[in-house]
């Protein structure tokens, strides 16, 4: 039988890129994954660059020049619509933070103007948020009583707003938006649900018409306070409150659908998170000087804005003007709003934030995500908001670290009548090349998983030998498929060297399959390539298998 | 031209495994990666299992029955050799912790006996360690003075030893050895170097023969103290100390090589880290009741033990007996050991722990690993041991999280005259299939990188369109190669759905290539497979490309 030397695909052993090149590329991917300066690349003239830079940092310059009456008509309508939402929300959320209602209304007057200048989103509506209001009230309330010393309390609220603004602006400028990536969807769902639950319980004060209450926010303390002050219960208030709540709930399940649908579409809007947080920061810095407290872009208001057909940030300007008129002419009326109605409005809004379907979806698809969600939910509701958030983020990070520490590896087999090698657990019935054990490693190899990977590979070999012994054949070659290994550190390289030594002691040869760019560079720099030999590095498993079978004078085609 | 329907490899759409199955497999990989119970699997009889269990948990039952005089001869020799090391080390490390020298000697008497019973390693020699001694002395010294209240001080040392033992035993029983994986090689190199540096500086007290000194450990405080008490300098002491140090250094460069070589071989010994930490725990619990302080398996002593030819843990028993004889008959002599000689011995041992070559290697291969190492080195030397360690581990975890948050993606091209698709940055000159953009994602997709991956894919498409526009061709298909994606969470699935919507809006079709077992299960559970359609999931890029070209009535072979 004639034996042909197998043609082998060439592996690229080019010298590693310089430290400067890789550092630049890493920094770019870490802090500028969205390539924000892309638009400047083709701009040659100085004036053009200045103009683009101005448009980039102050987005109003981008959309205002093309603004016209047709767009304005849409924005007026949506601006008026969100004002109708801003008034009850402003008053009731301010109540949550023990802040005078008028401050809540101010907060929908100045900040929207700032956002209209610096904001990126076309649909976002500026306003106060229940969770922030509650956490401000709770934190400052621990130090200063809003009843005994209202001036100091309010000054602290403004100071908090100011420093939050500074902090947000710095975060954006330093491109620390990456931190937000560590807030998982599950954490947010649980946190919102937990916060909504505890805010609902807080409303029992208003609904039962209680005079005394607890300053604590957790559900147990609140229920205890409600039961403790049962002499103060007013059944008339409770009946009105509950009827109003039921009425609001019915008129809201439609709204829920609208919110869901609009978010699906709004998500497609490309917004630079770091620029957005700078806009929020500026909005809060200016806000703190003009008697406003913490504002951001609440979900519900933004959804209403979108559904009302807003076209640009001009709708925020319209809301601001409407709010000014309200403050001038209608403000005195709002002091007569009954507490029980406010409580029912808040409770109704909050009930909409508990996303049962999503929680069930998490339970069905991923139990650990469900656990992360529940940690936030129950942590926030029964312990405290910060503690719940920390617990949930901690669990999520723990999982990220376990992913990192215990990457999935698998044993590859050949799909009959093809040249593909796939996971033999996932695809039962794959064929093996006798004497060859092909393993696929996933995720980067480094200090946190290097020990594990060594143990795991040794175990694969041992298990394979346990099976093979029966068939009177032993493992002669281990192929490590590194296609899924995007990077490696020095501990990882040391581990590969150790694995090679361990297998060498058992007379098993090792081959590296398809190392990626960064891995190859480190392998060259650390002289791993010299140690293992260029001949032991292949571009594909087939290449390696063919080369092995050729060297053992067997014909590949005959065997498989 | 006749067109053939491409034969396509079948993707496995089997129903997902149950939660119980995957949980069990995850727990096993996380806590039992070394499969410690493997040996029990083939054991059927009850007596056999009990015997194996006893041998498993108390390793002495495994090796003692087969022990013979030939092995004993080796162990006697090595046991006597390490006793010669144990005496100066015991005395001098105890000094570092302001502990009476006799306690240092006791610590090489009882703990080795316990280790001989419960330890796994054949080569490990039990003894005290410089870093632990220093940290104990520093921590307890902050509360109680070893000079003013020696009894309380010593009791606290024993209490610390006891609780460390309890803590170690629990860690081992709970299989928390996984935590050790998060100590990177770079951190250990830096920590050892930093500790060695600061212990060397501490020896200036003994070498200059100072009476007064600082209780602080950092280099700056120590140098300041040495300069401050310059009236106390004894030049005779300094001259003797330095000459002795130079002498020791010369006799040690040989030893250094021996240590290096023996570790390379010792590494091949398979030791169960969790069982080992239980042995250390038991050793310290019993030790704390018998006037011993913290012991472990120091590198230098273990290397000497190995080189002296030890065969089993019996060498520890021999050392223990030798130490007992020393304590009975020779102990009074040691009170005359001059301080300057002890200082020179410690300084010499410590200088050997600063691994310059490894530090240079880190600098050359991986700059970030070098940074992690330097953080530990300078943190320990100039701030404090705990702070240095925390800084270094923090940096290493930060890098792990950035790896996780910013996984490498790449654009694939076809290697001419083959069916392989590889990174087109790594392999220049690859060909493209017009209208098709193939991307490879690495590492798990989940909350921490989901946003990034969305942005990155959109950017790949945009960049491709920028290039393609010139050629008057557009992206019609995006192929996402998930071969390297070992797992996904619900945020990750949501992101894939979002990406699909975003591309849909641009009339770009998406195809998923080779999803791995766990990813496929989540895709099925979350109905992603139903949404995208089974036809859009392929086992290989070639399959996808063939199917696309077939559907657009072009022949693949003609094009590439």
């Amino acid at each position: 039988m004639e034996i042909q030397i197998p043609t082998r695909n060439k592996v690229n052993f080019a010298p590693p890129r310089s430290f400067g090149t890789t550092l630049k590329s890493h920094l770019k991917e870490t802090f500028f994954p969205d390539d924000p300066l892309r638009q400047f690349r083709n701009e040659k003239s100085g004036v053009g660059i200045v103009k683009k830079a101005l448009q980039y940092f102050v987005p109003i310059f981008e959309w205002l020049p093309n603004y016209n009456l047709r767009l304005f008509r849409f924005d007026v309508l949506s601006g008026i619509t969100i004002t109708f939402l801003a008034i009850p929300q402003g008053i009731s959320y301010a109540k949550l933070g023990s802040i005078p209602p008028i401050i809540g209304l101010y907060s929908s007057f100045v900040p929207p103007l700032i956002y209209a200048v610096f904001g990126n989103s076309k649909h976002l509506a500026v306003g106060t948020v229940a969770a922030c209001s509650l956490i401000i009230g709770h934190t400052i309330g621990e130090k200063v009583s809003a009843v005994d010393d209202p001036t100091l309390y309010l000054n602290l609220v403004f100071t908090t707003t100011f420093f939050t603004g500074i902090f947000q602006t710095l975060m954006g400028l330093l491109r620390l938006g990456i931190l937000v990536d560590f807030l998982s969807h599950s954490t947010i769902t649980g946190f919102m649900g937990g916060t909504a639950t505890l805010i609902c319980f807080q409303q029992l004060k208003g609904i039962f018409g209680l005079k005394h209450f607890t300053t604590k926010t957790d559900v147990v303390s609140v229920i205890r306070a409600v039961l403790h002050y049962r002499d103060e219960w007013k059944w008339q208030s409770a009946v009105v409150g509950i009827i109003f709540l039921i009425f609001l709930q019915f008129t809201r399940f439609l709204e829920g659908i609208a919110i869901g649908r609009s978010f699906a579409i709004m998500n497609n809007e490309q917004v630079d998170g770091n620029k957005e947080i700078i806009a929020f920061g500026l909005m809060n810095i200016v806000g703190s000087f003009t008697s406003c407290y913490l504002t951001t872009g609440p979900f519900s208001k933004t959804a209403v804005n979108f559904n009302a057909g807003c076209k640009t940030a001009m709708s925020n300007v319209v809301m601001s003007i409407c709010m000014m008129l309200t403050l001038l002419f209608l403000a005195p009326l709002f002091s007569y709003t009954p507490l029980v109605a406010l409580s029912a409005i808040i409770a109704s809004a909050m009930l909409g934030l508990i996303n049962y379907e999503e929680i069930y979806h998490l339970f069905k698809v991923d139990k650990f995500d469900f656990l992360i969600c529940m940690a936030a939910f129950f942590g926030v509701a029964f312990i405290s908001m910060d503690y719940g958030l920390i617990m949930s983020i901690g669990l999520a990070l723990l999982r990220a670290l376990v992913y990192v520490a215990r990457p999935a590896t698998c044993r590859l087999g050949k799909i009959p009548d093809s040249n593909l090698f796939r996971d033999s657990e996932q695809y039962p019935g794959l064929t093996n090349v006798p004497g060859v054990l092909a393993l696929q490693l996933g995720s980067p190899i480094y200090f946190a998983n290097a020990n594990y990977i060594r143990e795991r590979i040794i175990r694969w070999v041992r298990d394979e030998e346990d099976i093979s012994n029966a068939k009177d054949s032993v493992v002669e070659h281990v192929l490590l498929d590194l296609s899924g290994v995007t990077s490696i550190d020095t501990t990882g390289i040391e581990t590969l060297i150790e694995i090679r030594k361990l297998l060498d002691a058992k007379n098993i040869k090792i081959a590296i399959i398809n190392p990626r760019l960064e891995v190859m560079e480190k392998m060259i720099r650390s002289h791993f390539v010299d140690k293992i030999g260029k001949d032991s590095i292949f571009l594909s498993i087939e290449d390696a298998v063919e080369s092995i079978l050729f060297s053992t004078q067997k014909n590949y085609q005959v065997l498989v």
Side-chain angles (χ1 to χ4, degrees), chain A residues 234-436:
Chain A
K234 297 200 191 73
W235 67 266
Q236 303 91 330
S237 169
V239 168
V240 171
I242 288 164
I243 290 174
F244 193 40
L245 182 60
I246 291 172
F247 166 73
L248 285 172
Q249 274 306 95
F250 267 102
T251 52
R252 276 193 76 262
F253 272 109
L254 293 168
E255 193 193 327
I257 296 165
I259 290 183
R261 202 192 47 209
S262 45
F263 274 101
I265 303 163
M266 271 155 50
N267 270 339
N268 291 357
E269 197 186 18
Q270 291 287 312
V271 172
D272 179 337
N274 285 303
K275 269 170 73 184
E276 197 68 356
I277 210 172
I278 295 177
F280 286 174
L282 294 175
M283 180 165 109
N284 282 318
I285 293 173
V286 177
S288 69
F289 289 114
T290 53
S291 295
C292 302
Y293 80 102
L294 214 60
T295 47
T296 168
F299 280 156
S300 53
K301 212 169 173 180
T302 301
V304 169
N305 195 25
F306 177 78
N307 279 317
C310 72
K311 295 291 171 206
T312 66
M314 186 58 88
S315 66
N316 277 303
V317 177
V318 173
M319 168 175 74
S320 171
I321 293 166
C322 293
M323 192 53 88
M324 187 187 68
L325 296 174
T326 309
L327 284 165
L328 283 176
F329 303 112
L330 303 174
L333 288 180
F334 294 119
S335 45
Y336 299 110
T337 318
L339 264 181
V340 60
L342 276 186
S343 293
I345 291 172
I346 297 180
S348 164
M350 289 304 120
L351 285 176
L353 290 182
I354 307 176
N355 196 340
Y356 311 98
E357 283 163 32
E358 179 64 28
I359 294 172
Y360 178 67
H361 178 76
L362 289 177
F363 176 76
K364 252 181 50 196
V365 175
D366 192 323
K367 300 285 185 291
F368 203 92
D369 265 330
F370 176 71
L371 186 69
I372 291 170
C373 175
M374 286 298 100
F377 193 102
F378 288 105
V380 166
F382 287 94
I383 307 175
S384 74
M385 284 167 81
D386 41 359
Y387 196 80
L389 202 56
I390 288 170
M391 272 201 329
S392 179
I393 294 178
L395 272 177
L397 283 184
L398 184 74
R399 175 200 228 183
L401 290 176
V402 170
Y403 267 146
V404 156
R406 297 288 184 260
T409 58
C410 68
R411 190 173 159 287
L412 299 174
K414 192 170 167 300
I415 294 187
D417 303 322
S418 89
N419 46 27
L420 300 178
F421 285 77
R422 291 292 179 265
D423 182 355
S424 52
E425 188 188 353
Q426 189 176 6
Y427 292 93
L430 301 188
T431 58
N432 295 316
V433 184
V436 175

Side-chain angles (χ1 to χ4, degrees), chain A residues 341-537:
Chain A
L342 276 186
S343 293
I345 291 172
I346 297 180
S348 164
M350 289 304 120
L351 285 176
L353 290 182
I354 307 176
N355 196 340
Y356 311 98
E357 283 163 32
E358 179 64 28
I359 294 172
Y360 178 67
H361 178 76
L362 289 177
F363 176 76
K364 252 181 50 196
V365 175
D366 192 323
K367 300 285 185 291
F368 203 92
D369 265 330
F370 176 71
L371 186 69
I372 291 170
C373 175
M374 286 298 100
F377 193 102
F378 288 105
V380 166
F382 287 94
I383 307 175
S384 74
M385 284 167 81
D386 41 359
Y387 196 80
L389 202 56
I390 288 170
M391 272 201 329
S392 179
I393 294 178
L395 272 177
L397 283 184
L398 184 74
R399 175 200 228 183
L401 290 176
V402 170
Y403 267 146
V404 156
R406 297 288 184 260
T409 58
C410 68
R411 190 173 159 287
L412 299 174
K414 192 170 167 300
I415 294 187
D417 303 322
S418 89
N419 46 27
L420 300 178
F421 285 77
R422 291 292 179 265
D423 182 355
S424 52
E425 188 188 353
Q426 189 176 6
Y427 292 93
L430 301 188
T431 58
N432 295 316
V433 184
V436 175
L437 174 65
L439 300 176
Q440 182 170 352
L441 309 183
S443 99
I445 303 180
Y446 53 131
F447 72 95
N449 60 26
N451 270 335
Y452 168 76
I453 284 180
R454 197 190 54 221
E455 291 288 342
R456 194 68 188 86
I457 289 176
I458 298 305
R459 203 170 104 211
W460 279 118
V461 174
R462 221 167 45 195
D463 289 351
E464 184 73 8
E465 283 175 341
D466 283 356
I467 306 166
S468 299
N469 276 341
K471 291 193 219 150
D472 198 26
S473 140
V474 286
V475 178
E476 288 165 5
H477 296 269
V478 168
L479 314 183
L480 294 183
D481 182 357
L482 302 190
S483 306
V485 178
T486 44
S487 43
I488 196 164
D489 74 351
T490 41
T491 312
I493 297 263
E494 300 289 335
T495 301
L496 288 182
I497 294 175
E498 253 180 59
I499 292 170
R500 184 167 159 263
K501 273 188 201 148
L502 285 171
L503 295 180
D504 226 32
K506 299 182 175 211
N507 270 324
I508 298 172
K509 289 204 183 80
I510 194 171
I512 301 290
I513 314 296
N514 189 25
R516 303 272 296 266
L517 182 57
E518 214 187 300
V519 175
M520 182 57 107
E521 288 177 339
K522 293 252 174 80
M523 283 180 167
I524 293 175
R525 275 216 196 89
S526 63
H527 301 292
F528 179 77
V529 170
D530 301 338
K531 275 177 201 153
I532 194 172
K534 286 187 179 176
D535 285 344
S536 302
I537 302 179

